[in-house]
Amino acid sequence: MDLLRLNGLAPENVFDIFSIADDMAAGAHSDFLRGKTVVMFFPAASIRTRVSFEKAIYLMGGQCILFPTDTLDKKEDIRDVCGYLDNWADCVVVRHCKIELLEAMADCLDAPLINAMTSVNHPCEILTDMYSLSKIREDFRRDKYLFVGKCGNIGLEWKNAAEVMGFELEQCCGKGYEIPSVKTYNDIYEAIAGKDVIFTDCLSADVLDDFKGCQVTLDALKKANSGAVLDPCPPFYRGDEVSADAIDSEYFVGYGFKKALLEVQQAIIYYCMTR
């Protein structure tokens, strides 16, 4: 099966992936990819997702062949690219801005296709965050979530996650950056009250002035529920969407929170190749 969208999964599928991730963490399926090849397309700027996928493939005994994403942006019809890939690839992982390209590839490929990020979603990232939250929260589905950032792939994918898993999601952003059908605030102090999980996405320099009232600070975090956690999506920028004192506080779940990318990427590959 392919993984193109998080909202293509049901809650039981999400928990199946979590269970497989637990097995991977315990050393299971170490030979699953023995003799198999995973072809990946990643831009040079990718760090966390690419490293965790490459190591996941290595730890399962597989071969990884990596191409730059722009290899797919050429005159050759994508149907023909996929026709040849199917001769040798057992799984294909793609990070590309256009979800339409991934959809076209999925229609052509016999091998499963995994979406490693597009401009409208990021299923592997959000699955990993939910998995990590499941380890530190009593029931992450009962928590109240606040997304701080503009409408983009991270915010839209959290919206998909909320719809799949049934938790409450609201947004804090500058005017004009709202996620459709999500309750929105323009003031961080108002937005953060009563929240359990606060997550952010980085902001480009040209929109910072529009988000002046939205920065997550330590002072603002004190308005959240007791035991609340801060999960900024990397790369985050101290002094932009989140303050330095917020990152240095006990609310920040830490860099190890993304360590589960490895187990979850392994689990996603296993899940897609066995369904």
Side-chain angles (χ1 to χ4, degrees), residues 4 30 50 94 102 112-113 122 136 152 154 182 186 194 200 231:
L4 293 180
S30 59
R50 175 183 161 184
V94 181
L102 274 67
L113 179 77
H122 200 348
I136 64 172
I154 299 300
V182 172
N186 306 124
T200 68
D231 172 25

Side-chain angles (χ1 to χ4, degrees), residues 116-268:
M117 193 180 82
T118 73
S119 61
V120 297
N121 66 348
H122 200 348
C124 297
E125 178 88 12
I126 305 311
L127 280 169
T128 298
D129 281 0
M130 290 195 295
Y131 175 75
S132 296
L133 285 167
S134 75
K135 301 301 181 185
I136 64 172
R137 307 296 299 177
E138 184 175 347
D139 183 352
F140 75 95
R141 293 172 297 174
R142 294 184 179 180
D143 284 334
K144 295 184 178 181
Y145 290 68
L146 177 68
F147 170 66
V148 181
K150 63 182 181 179
C151 180
N153 56 0
I154 299 300
L156 289 169
E157 196 68 298
W158 273 111
K159 178 186 175 185
N160 291 338
E163 291 171 351
V164 171
M165 305 307 292
F167 54 77
E168 181 181 310
L169 170 69
E170 296 178 348
Q171 179 188 13
C172 183
C173 67
K175 292 182 179 179
Y177 300 93
E178 297 84 0
I179 299 170
S181 304
V182 172
K183 184 176 180 179
T184 302
Y185 303 85
N186 306 124
D187 177 80
I188 190 62
Y189 287 93
E190 182 183 6
I192 210 167
K195 301 302 188 297
D196 302 293
V197 180
I198 299 92
F199 50 97
T200 68
D201 193 12
C202 59
L203 300 168
S204 55
D206 60 310
V207 305
L208 284 176
D209 284 347
D210 298 331
F211 281 78
K212 283 183 176 177
C214 303
Q215 186 187 74
V216 179
T217 63
L218 177 57
D219 191 47
L221 284 166
K222 292 176 181 178
K223 305 296 182 182
N225 285 342
S226 176
V229 296
L230 169 65
D231 172 25
C233 181
F236 57 81
Y237 304 121
R238 297 171 185 239
D240 287 358
E241 75 277 13
V242 62
S243 66
D245 62 0
I247 294 297
D248 294 332
S249 74
E250 71 276 11
Y251 295 96
F252 176 49
V253 289
Y255 309 106
F257 195 75
K258 296 295 183 182
K259 185 178 180 181
L261 271 169
L262 178 62
E263 289 79 21
V264 175
Q265 314 292 41
Q266 289 178 291
I268 289 169

